[in-house]
Amino acid sequence: MLHQTMERVISHVFPHTKEYVYVSWRSHVISTRTFASHTSRLRSVPRAFQNPQSRAFSGFGRRCSNGQYNRFNDSGRGPRAPPLIHHLLLRARTEHFVLLGLGVSAFYYYNTEVVEMTGRRRLNFISAEHELELGEKAYREVLAQHRDHILPDSHPASKMVHRVLERLIPQARVEGAQWRAHVIKADDVRNAFVLPGGKVFVFTGILPFCKDENGLAAVLGHEIAHVVAHHGAEGMTRNYLLRSLVTVASFLFDISAMIPAYLSHYLVNLPNSRVQEAEADDMGLIMMAQACYNPEAAIAFWQRLVNNKEAHEVHQFLSTHPSNENRIHALSEKLNTAQTIYLNSGCQVANEYMPDFRRAFAYHK
Ligand SMILES: [Zn+2]
């Protein structure tokens, strides 16, 4: 019964999704937790965690017999063998631990890399080519899903997004990327997201919070940064590893896979997602300044979201994103650097497109 209840809870919290990479990248939207239609995806975990190789909780129980605790089998009719970890530890020798340590170290050494703009060291064994392939597949799916709501390129809102994107792209050098932006008509969705390979989607509901092209540059800069930093590949690497560790842990300790899945999701997956989001904020701030967009607009954008009464933010610990207040604080700390770049870049013409934004937004409304 407990097991069934847990499964119901998990299936509710982590609903099934079609495509892993899509989930991974949908989790990198810039504004979260505000839209019912997207909240489920934002809170998703990898498919392996949605349907873990679970074992009934009844097999996890212990029964007392003759003053000793004995493990029983799933039917509860007899004693059950100790978990595999018990046998392994009994037979393990020092050299086994040394070999294991060397193997893990070698794996980490050969699969780590540094994010160029921030210097952050991270694990990633997904090739850029594979990431691009998955991004293309996800792109076709997203286009099919939203085809009836994608605004034409001739629409003023689309033109505005394309214009800002084109100005940011020179700051985002990604081999193999084919940048393309689409605007999706959904006024109640305050969101934007990007797919590996450079396909950016902006929902019309976020445009009022952008206020002008500087604010839109903050949104697009953040999304572009995810592609530049290959956060998709990093996220896939992390989830492949966690999925493997969850499976191994469930076998070793003879427990339901839900337990390590939950632990790894909250203790590893979510914190790392927040690291990526914070990194995308930092990189996006620098890129928008390099492209002559006023970096102060990024902070103003987040403040407008914070002040929005309709936004319901979940606690940071339970979220893939840092809290909006923390984002503002972190961006404020980087603002001096970004402003120096902005002022030294000869950006006096940066705001000449402002009337275009107002016209585009008025038309959209
Ligand atoms: Zn993001």
Side-chain angles (χ1 to χ4, degrees), residues 27-30 222-223 226 277 280 321 327:
S27 71
H28 291 142
V29 292
I30 189 162
H222 172 98
E223 299 303 339
H226 280 310
E277 290 305 313
H321 290 55
R327 297 181 98 145

Side-chain angles (χ1 to χ4, degrees), residues 47-310:
R47 181 183 300 165
F49 293 177
Q50 297 161 15
N51 299 299
Q53 296 178 9
S54 58
R55 296 174 185 217
F57 265 57
S58 58
F60 186 47
R62 293 170 186 270
R63 309 284 173 83
C64 186
S65 173
N66 297 326
Q68 292 183 323
Y69 285 99
N70 296 318
R71 296 183 63 78
F72 278 66
N73 62 23
D74 289 349
S75 65
R77 286 194 293 270
R80 184 180 177 181
L84 184 57
I85 188 68
H86 178 80
H87 297 288
L88 291 177
L89 289 176
L90 281 178
R91 290 162 177 75
R93 297 198 300 267
T94 305
E95 52 263 40
H96 293 149
F97 292 105
V98 171
L99 282 173
L100 181 65
L102 287 174
V104 171
S105 301
F107 177 83
Y108 181 80
Y109 178 78
Y110 284 108
N111 290 288
T112 52
E113 59 186 20
V114 172
V115 180
E116 191 175 327
M117 279 186 76
T118 62
R120 180 174 64 91
R121 197 165 185 81
R122 53 96 180 274
L123 201 60
N124 177 25
F125 53 70
I126 303 294
S127 70
E129 293 75 19
H130 187 49
E131 187 189 26
L132 286 174
E133 283 175 23
L134 294 173
E136 272 303 309
K137 186 179 176 186
Y139 179 49
R140 290 192 293 273
E141 288 186 5
V142 175
L143 284 181
Q145 182 183 352
H146 295 286
R147 62 176 175 270
D148 295 334
H149 303 285
I150 292 178
L151 297 180
D153 288 347
S154 58
H155 191 284
S158 299
K159 286 182 177 178
M160 177 181 61
V161 170
H162 293 159
R163 189 165 56 241
V164 176
L165 183 68
E166 283 174 13
R167 210 160 120 186
L168 288 166
I169 285 173
Q171 319 305 326
R173 287 176 287 277
V174 182
E175 194 170 341
Q178 293 181 318
W179 296 99
R180 180 80 165 87
H182 296 282
V183 179
I184 300 172
K185 175 71 173 169
D187 294 345
D188 59 335
V189 180
R190 304 171 191 91
N191 229 331
F193 66 94
V194 69
L195 298 171
K199 305 305 188 295
V200 183
F201 292 84
V202 178
F203 293 93
T204 52
I206 204 170
L207 296 179
F209 292 89
C210 295
K211 191 179 175 186
D212 56 26
E213 292 196 11
N214 290 296
L216 182 58
V219 173
L220 296 182
H222 172 98
E223 299 303 339
I224 287 173
H226 280 310
V227 180
V228 174
H230 295 283
H231 283 165
E234 182 187 356
M236 282 183 269
T237 296
R238 183 176 66 242
N239 287 318
Y240 280 138
L241 281 176
L242 288 180
R243 184 169 54 186
S244 302
L245 290 174
V246 163
T247 304
V248 169
S250 69
F251 275 108
L252 284 179
F253 296 96
D254 192 18
I255 57 176
S256 164
M258 290 183 210
I259 295 171
Y262 259 119
L263 288 175
S264 61
H265 180 61
Y266 286 107
L267 299 180
V268 179
N269 213 19
L270 291 184
N272 276 280
S273 293
R274 292 194 290 269
V275 166
Q276 289 185 340
E277 290 305 313
E279 187 171 70
D281 283 348
D282 291 350
M283 292 172 64
L285 190 72
I286 299 301
M287 285 194 287
M288 70 181 288
Q290 289 171 334
C292 285
Y293 289 108
N294 188 347
E296 289 181 356
I299 295 173
F301 165 79
W302 284 109
Q303 283 173 333
R304 284 191 287 276
L305 277 181
V306 167
N307 295 333
N308 176 36
K309 298 286 188 296
E310 296 175 19

Side-chain angles (χ1 to χ4, degrees), residues 317-333:
F317 177 73
L318 301 174
S319 172
T320 56
H321 290 55
S323 71
N324 290 345
E325 286 82 1
N326 283 350
R327 297 181 98 145
I328 291 171
H329 179 72
L331 285 170
S332 299
E333 290 184 338

